[in-house]
Amino acid sequence: MGSTLITGIGSLVTNDPALGAGPLGPVTDAAVVLDGGRIAWVGPAAGAPAADEVFDAAGRAAVPGFVDSHSHLVFAGDRTAEFNARMSGQSYTAGGIRTTVAATRAATDEALDANVARYVGEALRQGTTVLECKSGYGLTVEDEARALRIAARHTDEVTYLGAHVVAPEYADDPAAYVDLVTGPMLDACAPHAGWVDVFCERGAFDGDQARAILTAGAKRGLTPRVHANQLTEGPGVQLAVELGAASADHCTHLTDADVAALASASASTVATLLPGAEFSTRARYPDARRLLDAGATVALSTDCNPGSSFTTSVPFCIAVAVREMGMTPDEALWSATAGGAAALRRTDVGRVTVGARADLVLLDAPSHVHLAYRPGVPLVAAVWRAGVREV
């Protein structure tokens, strides 16, 4: 792979305060050199070194590749009817997950793999260069393990979510299902994952069950993540902070104590907000402003899944976060790039700095603010991932 000089960038967001003012570290009239899958040089275009190839951005804006740290892509089936019912006045509960479980169990490996490939490609075309993917729609030892194997073909960020909901076979004995998730299922799944997650919520797993599942996963080398406080106030956020989870995801219903806990743990536990879920369920949006003002680290992700947030578009989530959640365009972009990287505990992505992975998104716009200013418009003009132009 030869080096590539991307020059003529009208406005470049680096997320490196050493390169420009504020958290976004903007550089105007900028250039970037990609070499060997890494960023080799960043700065004003007038001082750019030579490279094997030159790409002229023609004054467009460029931003780091989006880092989507929460998705559920290994599934089969369709839940259009459920969405239609919600939009007709019915409320959302976690029960719809079982519909997808039945369809996923019945699907072939080839069908599931094709589905993941389709949605990863869809996300890439919208600027997502790093994507986390969970299991959680198998809920048997065999189906959870195969979900993780399939996810691992498409991403390095794979999460074991056997504790999505209690499997239907264990509806009358949830304790036995927790034993399965922390025992034989964990044994089969741990070799294929880097993270362990649990849906800590009424209708799924309570605080004690979630603690047992996350602790067991941690003993097998999996770092915790938590679906926390999506539908109601509950123990999820406090548990995430206590156990040093990389992220507490959703964070829709928070007490003052929850906000304080996330602020105090801002260097270790990220509050990952998923506005697609509230958009698709007509629920109350998370209050990002409250978290940011308290000092919490915030990420924005899609929560792509067939039931409650069927979108792979990070730009859409940025627009919703700005319009509905009290974020500025700068804050939303940072949260969808560097914030997502923090939620995955990575320093090599989510920023455009020397040594980082060469992930860059060119926008057909003069500024990153257009991501919120022009919602629904396909603004991504080109995407480089690990130095390769993919879009």
Side-chain angles (χ1 to χ4, degrees):
M1 183 189 302
S3 60
T4 300
L5 167 64
I6 304 171
T7 190
I9 301 171
S11 172
L12 171 67
V13 170
T14 68
N15 287 339
D16 184 352
L19 294 175
L24 295 191
V27 180
T28 57
D29 299 321
V32 179
V33 175
L34 317 180
D35 192 4
R38 297 284 167 176
I39 294 171
W41 186 90
V42 183
D52 297 322
E53 296 182 1
V54 177
F55 182 96
D56 184 2
R60 295 181 178 91
V63 301
F66 301 127
V67 181
D68 188 347
S69 62
H70 185 127
S71 77
H72 307 250
L73 301 185
V74 187
F75 68 86
D78 181 89
R79 284 160 67 181
T80 302
E82 177 189 320
F83 175 80
N84 192 39
R86 283 201 306 273
M87 296 303 104
S88 302
Q90 298 182 24
S91 62
Y92 171 70
T93 66
I97 293 170
R98 295 179 179 87
T99 302
T100 300
V101 168
T104 303
R105 288 178 177 180
T108 65
D109 288 10
E110 292 75 17
L112 293 175
D113 186 79
N115 253 4
V116 177
R118 171 188 173 189
Y119 296 122
V120 169
E122 189 177 276
L124 179 64
R125 291 191 296 275
Q126 296 172 91
T128 297
T129 53
V130 178
L131 188 146
E132 180 264 9
C133 185
K134 306 178 192 295
S135 66
Y137 290 124
L139 309 187
T140 68
V141 172
E142 295 78 12
D143 285 306
E144 285 295 294
R146 77 162 176 158
L148 295 172
R149 289 194 301 269
I150 289 168
R153 297 172 190 167
H154 302 275
T155 179
D156 294 331
E157 302 294 348
V158 179
T159 300
Y160 167 48
L161 183 60
H164 202 178
V165 293
V166 174
E169 298 85 355
Y170 290 84
D172 296 327
D173 193 359
Y177 185 66
V178 172
D179 289 342
L180 180 70
V181 169
T182 58
M185 189 182 288
L186 177 59
D187 291 340
C189 290
H192 308 292
W195 309 95
V196 59
D197 200 344
V198 59
F199 190 10
C200 183
E201 187 65 68
R202 186 181 304 164
F205 299 90
D206 65 25
D208 290 340
Q209 293 168 329
R211 183 191 304 279
I213 291 161
L214 297 172
T215 301
K219 289 179 179 177
R220 293 297 302 271
L222 305 182
T223 303
R225 323 181 68 79
V226 184
H227 282 62
N229 300 56
Q230 177 187 4
L231 306 177
T232 60
E233 292 178 1
V237 164
Q238 297 289 339
L239 185 63
V241 171
E242 175 194 335
L243 297 182
S247 64
D249 298 31
H250 288 288
C251 295
T252 308
H253 298 271
L254 301 179
T255 66
D256 289 345
D258 293 331
V259 174
L262 288 166
S264 69
S266 62
S268 57
T269 301
V270 174
T272 299
L273 308 184
L274 309 167
E278 282 72 35
F279 180 90
S280 297
T281 59
R282 285 183 173 163
R284 186 183 86 191
Y285 285 101
D287 188 347
R289 183 80 268 136
R290 183 183 178 200
L291 287 162
L292 290 165
D293 288 348
T297 299
V298 172
L300 278 179
S301 294
T302 64
D303 190 22
C304 184
N305 74 82
S308 61
S309 183
F310 203 4
T311 180
T312 54
S313 176
V314 172
F316 167 76
C317 292
I318 288 173
V320 173
V322 171
R323 174 62 180 83
E324 301 289 347
M325 291 161 50
M327 302 186 87
T328 69
D330 285 11
E331 289 167 340
L333 176 61
W334 190 95
S335 294
T337 51
L344 294 174
R345 294 187 172 167
R346 292 183 63 168
T347 58
D348 63 323
V349 296
R351 62 200 72 238
V352 181
T353 58
V354 172
R357 201 173 83 171
D359 293 355
L360 191 72
V361 175
L362 188 67
L363 302 177
D364 194 11
S367 166
H368 67 277
V369 177
H370 280 232
L371 291 165
Y373 179 43
R374 304 198 67 206
V377 177
L379 294 177
V380 173
V383 179
W384 286 264
R385 180 171 59 177
V388 177
R389 187 179 175 189
E390 302 270 14
V391 176

